[in-house]
Amino acid sequence: MLTGHPPESELLTLLRVGRIQAPERLEATNILIAGGRIAALGRDLDVPTGWPVRVVEAPDLIAVPAFIDQHVHVTGGGGEGGGGSRCPEITAQEIAAMGIGTVVGVLGTDGISRSPADLLAKVRDLRAEGIAAYMYTGSYRVPPPTLTGDLQRDLAWIPEVIGLGEIAISDHRSSQPRQDELERLVSEVRVGAMLAGKRGICHFHVGDGPRGLEPLRRLLTDTEIPAEQVIPTHVNRHRALLEEAADYALTFNACVDVTAFDDADEDDLSGFGAVAWLLARGVPVERITLSSDCNGSLPEFDAQGGYLGMRVARNATLIADWQRLVHEQVLTLDQALGLISGNVARVLGLHEHKGRLAVGFDADVTLLDSALTPQQTYVTGRCVYSQDSPR
């Protein structure tokens, strides 16, 4: 599929594909990449003789914006069962093989043996391997652990930090934060993000407790914080929470993040089922995102909260649920791409350069086959995964 193996000094890449979804279908079938960005889109694009160019001939593949996963335990999650229950780190290969070009790293229950500094180091490792990686500062607990000792300084001084998360609410593993504590955290992040020129979202882990989304409802009702800054995730834990998420999204014109659980108790609570259900309840597709929670733990607890065991979440479920939404005609391909690209880029504040195939945008491109299976992944023009390459 690749024509030759050009030296590192070559500057240009020309992708010749069968179809481009930007996410809407374009007339163009060629993508010219220069300096890590999309330089041109068109048909029969050519490069002057003598210019350094790598040509990728992929007439049977579909080019789409590389996927964005906003909830990844890049350093591994878990730890609820003590020693031996920590999940492993994720690799750049595991990310890119799913067509994912951008991830946001997150700490979960364990903010003790794993720290924001560990997370930042892993994010930078992934960047060195070609993945566009970012992170949330903080973890489940309140007050959250930080890199600099201050939320606003983390946002202002650390380029990779794009928000706070995942703060746990309605969960027996959370710090049971008071309402005023949540309001103070979100306001601190908002001002810090403004100073840094970032979106500064607050990414909230929602457990299966009876309070559900009530703390976030109160936050948006009682303060001036805009809904776009507050993102609840895992809203498909159980039916009552999913119903509340639909009402929350419609009442506040807010976004909700569905998790592609690979241990969903029933199909209606899978990533596929939850997205289909929210759409049927009238939630606009633009207000829904889909993430993996991969390399986090899937713990089991008894009725008293005692630890029973765990499995490790994988990102393959994210892609399988997304494919199913298209294959079963719940969404068209261009609509479905928003769930794991354009919508996510907007939520994270990356929409001016990611989540779309357009001139001037980062050359983050995933090539899919007719079954929507990723075959190649490019991040800022660099091929970080190819199905044909030895692994």
Side-chain angles (χ1 to χ4, degrees):
M1 190 175 285
L2 303 184
T3 59
H5 299 279
E8 291 294 326
S9 60
E10 291 198 347
L11 302 178
L12 305 177
T13 299
L14 180 60
L15 304 181
R16 292 177 173 154
V17 299
R19 176 172 141 204
I20 298 176
Q21 297 274 166
E24 71 279 4
R25 184 164 184 172
L26 302 183
E27 291 298 322
T29 56
N30 292 180
I31 304 173
L32 181 64
I33 299 169
R37 294 182 180 265
I38 297 175
L41 294 160
R43 284 184 175 272
D44 303 317
L45 293 179
D46 209 349
V47 174
T49 302
W51 283 31
V53 62
R54 178 193 195 199
V55 179
V56 178
E57 299 286 358
D60 298 325
L61 301 184
I62 307 165
V64 301
F67 306 148
I68 304 172
D69 191 348
Q70 67 175 307
H71 190 112
V72 182
H73 292 273
V74 295
T75 57
E80 294 97 332
S85 66
R86 301 199 327 165
C87 299
E89 294 188 359
I90 196 169
T91 67
Q93 182 73 8
E94 289 172 316
I95 294 168
M98 292 295 108
I100 298 165
T102 300
V103 296
V104 184
V106 58
L107 294 179
T109 311
D110 184 5
I112 303 299
S113 68
R114 291 182 170 101
S115 70
D118 299 323
L119 184 55
L120 178 60
K122 178 63 176 181
V123 162
R124 290 180 174 175
D125 286 347
L126 290 172
R127 286 190 169 206
E129 294 182 78
I131 302 298
Y134 300 88
M135 64 176 281
Y136 305 114
T137 193
S139 68
Y140 269 23
R141 62 191 174 96
V142 174
T146 63
L147 289 156
T148 65
D150 182 88
L151 285 174
Q152 292 190 2
R153 290 188 176 90
D154 277 14
L155 281 156
W157 292 348
I158 312 298
E160 295 87 351
V161 173
I162 60 173
L164 170 68
E166 58 176 317
I167 299 296
I169 59 172
S170 304
D171 194 303
H172 67 92
R173 294 167 292 174
S174 83
S175 299
Q176 312 305 323
R178 301 187 312 269
Q179 192 67 30
D180 64 314
E181 291 179 304
L182 291 180
E183 293 172 5
R184 178 60 58 86
L185 284 177
V186 176
S187 62
E188 286 285 307
V189 171
R190 178 162 180 77
V191 174
M194 292 171 67
L195 297 175
K198 300 175 181 177
R199 174 62 54 83
I201 67 166
C202 295
H203 195 73
F204 282 95
H205 161 109
V206 186
D208 57 9
R211 286 177 294 173
L213 294 171
E214 180 58 25
L216 302 188
R217 286 177 170 276
R218 290 181 57 189
L219 174 73
L220 297 181
T221 300
D222 297 343
T223 74
E224 295 73 36
I225 297 296
E228 68 179 13
Q229 194 181 344
V230 179
I231 307 298
T233 190
H234 313 324
V235 298
N236 49 320
R237 281 194 185 279
H238 54 77
R239 173 64 64 197
L241 180 60
L242 188 57
E243 291 176 355
E244 187 181 6
D247 183 72
Y248 171 89
L250 293 169
T251 298
F252 297 102
N253 195 26
C255 288
V256 293
D257 186 53
V258 169
T259 302
F261 292 123
D262 63 6
D263 66 339
D265 292 335
E266 51 187 289
D267 190 50
D268 285 351
L269 294 176
S270 67
F272 164 82
V275 169
W277 194 91
L278 289 169
L279 292 168
R281 294 306 184 275
V283 179
V285 66
E286 295 80 13
R287 294 295 169 187
I288 306 171
T289 58
L290 191 59
S291 63
S292 72
D293 198 18
C294 70
N295 285 63
S297 64
L298 301 172
E300 295 182 26
F301 299 96
D302 61 24
Q304 289 71 46
Y307 176 80
L308 297 175
M310 58 159 261
R311 294 187 298 107
V312 179
R314 298 298 182 191
N315 58 9
T317 308
L318 172 67
I319 306 308
D321 281 342
W322 175 80
Q323 290 169 332
R324 190 176 167 196
L325 286 163
V326 181
H327 293 326
E328 299 194 17
Q329 299 182 349
V330 175
L331 292 170
T332 61
L333 179 56
D334 58 330
Q335 290 173 323
L337 284 169
L339 298 174
I340 54 174
S341 61
N343 297 359
V344 191
R346 188 189 70 251
V347 162
L348 300 177
L350 304 176
H351 56 288
E352 294 184 353
H353 57 98
K354 291 187 183 294
R356 176 169 190 80
L357 301 183
V359 173
F361 273 56
D362 289 350
D364 296 353
V365 185
T366 292
L367 303 186
L368 305 174
D369 64 17
S370 59
L372 305 183
T373 301
Q375 299 296 309
Q376 294 187 32
T377 306
Y378 295 81
V379 182
T380 57
R382 174 181 172 184
C383 184
V384 292
Y385 170 78
S386 177
Q387 177 69 28
D388 294 340
S389 297
R391 292 179 239 175

